[in-house]
Amino acid sequence: MKRISALALMALMIIAMMSFAVSAKNNDKIEAPYFNIPPVIDGVVTLEEWGNVSVHVTPEQSASYYCDAGGGALDISFNMWLRWDETYLYIAVVTNEPDGHSLPQGEGSLWNGDVIQFRADPAGPNGSGDKNAPWSNASIPNISVGQLSDGKQTSWDFQASKEIPGAKYKINVGSNSTTYEVAIPHEYFGGKGKENFVYGFSLVRLNAPKGATYNAWLTWGDGICGPQENDDRVGSNSLTLVKKDAIIIPETTAATEAPAAKAAAKTPAAQTGDIGLAILAIPAILSLAGVHIVRKTRK
């Protein structure tokens, strides 16, 4: 009887160890493609301009943590794009806006409302060696970017107590979602815009009901918001800059040009009264020729 009890106890211990392994949280390893065609920072994110999403952040992810100070579950999940070139680290976030937009104050209070906040450590993920305090030193920039309730858009580094020099950003607040487009110089982080450079990176999306201050936040990676139990922490995530073009431009070949030329030859010349019809036909002819029409002017 004692032997059976010992075996049962051993089985329970194994199950417990397996359950712990399954529930353990691990940080993410993400690659940031190279921006061969830099975006226009205008608060509009498209597949053509930014490429595929880097990560879809939800509370269910192992590298995420959700805190609701308001007592109700809010959907503040977000899509995030991470890109780079020799000068900038680019960040784009498109997030749900479940209860209106509110960010009452700037500068040192730029965390207290609808805003994104992030850190990038040039020493890599968990540069300190401790996932519960992942940053390699106290001077790692702690940056918020947001649109105040009065419409002003601004940035702030809580570590240096100043706006970020050389930063580019634009926020587009909609009725159901908000878009953030941000470019921060690598130099400001102490990083390098070169292939295979690795940042330790975390980003949090804070939320506030319209006319109020923050009531919830969702973080990808740790080291920005609290309170948070150490067992729930993963530290900073790994962000590797790779020399893979973010934007793929289809090549025009002779095979696609020939049919288009034939089609164009059969198209009758427009009469004086058919100018509008001719204008409508131009995009179709260009499309047949394999020409990509860029509607957005790039700077």
Side-chain angles (χ1 to χ4, degrees):
M1 186 72 177
K2 289 183 179 179
R3 186 175 179 180
I4 295 174
S5 298
L7 289 172
L9 180 60
M10 185 178 294
L12 287 172
M13 290 175 65
I14 292 172
I15 292 171
M17 291 174 65
M18 290 175 64
S19 298
F20 177 78
V22 170
S23 61
K25 301 186 76 174
N26 299 307
N27 63 345
D28 271 348
K29 294 178 174 60
I30 299 295
E31 292 184 343
Y34 178 76
F35 249 150
N36 52 318
I37 304 176
V40 178
I41 305 298
D42 58 359
V44 179
V45 173
T46 64
L47 179 65
E48 293 77 13
E49 192 175 34
W50 278 81
N52 294 323
V53 172
S54 296
V55 58
H56 177 59
V57 181
T58 68
E60 290 76 25
Q61 281 184 307
S62 64
S64 299
Y65 182 85
Y66 175 73
C67 178
D68 191 342
L74 293 169
D75 182 7
I76 52 174
S77 58
F78 57 91
N79 286 331
M80 179 165 57
W81 291 255
L82 297 165
R83 303 289 187 264
W84 70 284
D85 62 18
E86 287 78 5
T87 305
Y88 296 102
L89 178 65
Y90 296 87
I91 303 159
V93 170
V94 178
T95 180
N96 292 331
E97 195 67 77
D99 50 11
H101 183 86
S102 181
L103 186 58
Q105 295 179 302
E107 297 187 345
S109 297
L110 198 60
W111 60 272
N112 200 4
D114 283 297
V115 70
I116 59 169
Q117 190 171 333
F118 53 89
R119 304 183 84 169
D121 190 341
N126 299 324
S128 67
D130 180 4
K131 71 174 185 177
N132 298 322
W135 311 112
S136 59
N137 63 77
S139 63
I140 299 300
N142 188 357
I143 298 171
S144 279
V145 177
Q147 177 173 303
L148 301 178
S149 296
D150 63 7
K152 179 184 177 182
Q153 299 189 356
T154 187
S155 65
W156 191 254
D157 179 0
F158 295 100
Q159 297 305 112
S161 296
K162 67 178 183 180
E163 291 193 17
I164 293 82
K168 298 190 294 184
Y169 49 87
K170 184 70 175 180
I171 301 101
N172 183 7
V173 178
S175 57
N176 299 310
S177 67
T178 297
T179 299
Y180 299 83
E181 272 191 301
V182 182
I184 307 291
H186 293 286
E187 183 181 11
Y188 190 77
F189 294 115
K192 296 180 180 179
K194 67 176 187 178
E195 185 178 10
N196 296 325
F197 188 84
V198 182
Y199 281 109
F201 186 83
S202 297
L203 182 143
V204 62
R205 180 268 200 258
L206 293 111
N207 182 77
K210 189 172 182 179
T213 53
Y214 104 98
N215 65 347
W217 48 268
L218 173 63
T219 182
W220 183 72
D222 303 317
I224 299 177
C225 284
Q228 186 174 340
E229 296 293 334
N230 285 346
D231 289 344
D232 290 322
R233 294 186 181 274
V234 297
S236 55
N237 293 312
S238 176
L239 179 61
T240 303
L241 314 184
V242 297
K243 202 61 181 288
K244 174 183 176 183
D245 287 347
I247 308 302
I248 305 301
I249 304 173
E251 293 185 3
T252 302
T253 65
T256 58
E257 288 174 352
K262 290 181 181 179
K266 293 180 180 179
T267 303
Q271 303 299 318
T272 305
D274 295 333
I275 293 176
L277 182 61
I279 292 173
L280 290 174
I282 288 172
I285 296 171
L286 292 176
S287 178
L288 287 170
V291 177
H292 178 63
I293 301 173
V294 179
R295 297 184 183 277
K296 197 171 187 180
T297 303
R298 304 187 184 279
K299 296 181 180 177

